[in-house]
Amino acid sequence: MTSATTLVAVSGLAAILLASTAVWLLSLRLRDASIADPFWGPGFALVGFVYVFVDGRFGARGLLTLFLVSAWAARLGRHLWTRNRTRGEDPRYGAMRARHGARFGWVSLFTVFWLQAVLLWLVAAPLLGAVRSAAPLGVWDAVGTLVFLVGFTLEALADRQLARFRASPAGDATVLDTGLWRYSRHPNYFGNFVIWWGLYLIAVGGGAYWTVFGPALITFLLLRVSGVTLLEKKLRQERPGYAAYMSRTSAFVPWPPKR
């Protein structure tokens, strides 16, 4: 990594840490650490903007990835903000608040807001690779953009179907097994997975193969940390029929259900 690339990367890290600190201060005022969730998407857009402007060359590949990420960030941020605004603090953060008591404020800064900022910065590696590339756009960029758009559509449609289901009378007691959710237990997560591998293909078009750890990290997080594993542990306990749904439906990659 050249010194110029290092400067751009460090600038992005500094920006997301400062922004996360501001969101943390707001969470203390609101007594709601859940506002970290809607900030996840916009945080990527912020990092992308910093990369483009600190780099200063405004190359086509960097502007392409910035446009794509900003569109995704706006949709996801709006979705999560709308979903969370009437639900109160997420039980995960409520449990942390109860466990740490008066220390929760400082604990949340390090274990929620700054941890999320660092993970976000690492996942965003393809944005850095795309911005720092001087190569002209080509086939990899076209394929990556197409893959991104497929993931974007899957994630948006799955989120919309889930929001409608939750707003229905049966949304709190039954299992959503129609639409995309008939073929995958987590089609929104799968869409997010596709989005980041699409962005990586664009970075590859600029020769930034080394940024593979970004999509690899989000894949690990979705499958093993904050995504499928954590959510399914909760759903098995709370949703009657979820075990049967698991037995017939693919966990991640959309696939025809078992008979």
Side-chain angles (χ1 to χ4, degrees), residues 5-17:
T5 300
T6 300
L7 173 62
V8 174
V10 171
S11 298
L13 177 60
I16 195 59
L17 285 173

Side-chain angles (χ1 to χ4, degrees), residues 29-40:
R29 183 177 180 84
L30 299 176
R31 287 189 58 81
D32 184 1
S34 297
I35 64 173
D37 297 340
F39 180 65
W40 175 254

Side-chain angles (χ1 to χ4, degrees), residues 45 48-49 52 60-74 127 145 148-149 152 199:
F49 272 101
V52 166
R61 182 169 289 103
L63 293 177
L64 171 64
T65 55
L66 178 59
F67 173 77
L68 295 176
V69 166
S70 297
W72 167 74
L127 307 186
T145 299
F148 173 93
L149 293 174
F152 184 96
L199 291 170

Side-chain angles (χ1 to χ4, degrees), residues 6-237:
T6 300
L7 173 62
V8 174
V10 171
S11 298
L13 177 60
I16 195 59
L17 285 173
L18 286 172
S20 294
T21 303
V23 176
W24 169 70
L25 290 172
L26 180 59
S27 79
L28 297 181
R29 183 177 180 84
L30 299 176
R31 287 189 58 81
D32 184 1
S34 297
I35 64 173
D37 297 340
F39 180 65
W40 175 254
F44 285 103
L46 171 64
V47 170
F49 272 101
V50 171
Y51 285 166
V52 166
F53 282 92
V54 173
D55 176 75
R57 293 175 297 172
F58 302 97
R61 182 169 289 103
L63 293 177
L64 171 64
T65 55
L66 178 59
F67 173 77
L68 295 176
V69 166
S70 297
W72 167 74
R75 189 213 69 83
L76 182 62
R78 180 178 180 277
H79 168 72
L80 293 177
W81 176 260
T82 302
R83 187 193 70 179
N84 291 359
R85 65 182 178 181
T86 59
R87 297 172 60 181
E89 187 170 56
D90 188 293
R92 294 172 299 163
Y93 303 125
M96 288 178 60
R97 188 181 296 277
R99 185 165 64 251
H100 294 289
R103 296 187 302 115
F104 174 74
W106 287 109
V107 170
S108 68
L109 173 63
F110 292 97
T111 64
V112 177
F113 293 90
W114 281 0
L115 175 60
Q116 175 175 286
V118 172
L119 291 174
L120 186 159
W121 177 68
L122 292 172
V123 170
L127 307 186
L128 176 64
V131 167
R132 290 296 299 157
S133 168
L137 296 177
V139 174
W140 281 107
D141 305 282
V143 173
T145 299
L146 179 61
V147 171
F148 173 93
L149 293 174
V150 169
F152 184 96
T153 302
L154 286 172
E155 184 185 59
L157 183 57
D159 282 342
R160 184 176 180 83
Q161 290 174 350
L162 182 59
R164 286 181 173 178
F165 173 74
R166 284 175 169 168
S168 70
D172 290 331
T174 58
V175 175
L176 174 58
D177 59 359
T178 58
L180 292 175
W181 301 82
R182 182 172 185 264
Y183 304 98
S184 170
R185 302 200 299 270
H186 304 280
N188 50 347
Y189 291 159
F190 179 74
N192 190 264
F193 158 86
V194 173
I195 281 170
W196 281 101
W197 284 102
L199 291 170
Y200 172 66
L201 293 179
I202 296 175
V204 166
Y209 299 92
W210 57 272
T211 63
V212 67
F213 65 85
L217 176 58
I218 193 63
T219 301
F220 174 73
L221 293 174
L222 289 171
L223 290 175
R224 299 299 181 189
V225 183
S226 61
V228 173
T229 301
L230 182 63
L231 183 57
E232 293 213 321
K233 180 179 179 181
K234 176 184 176 183
L235 291 174
R236 282 198 303 268
Q237 298 171 346

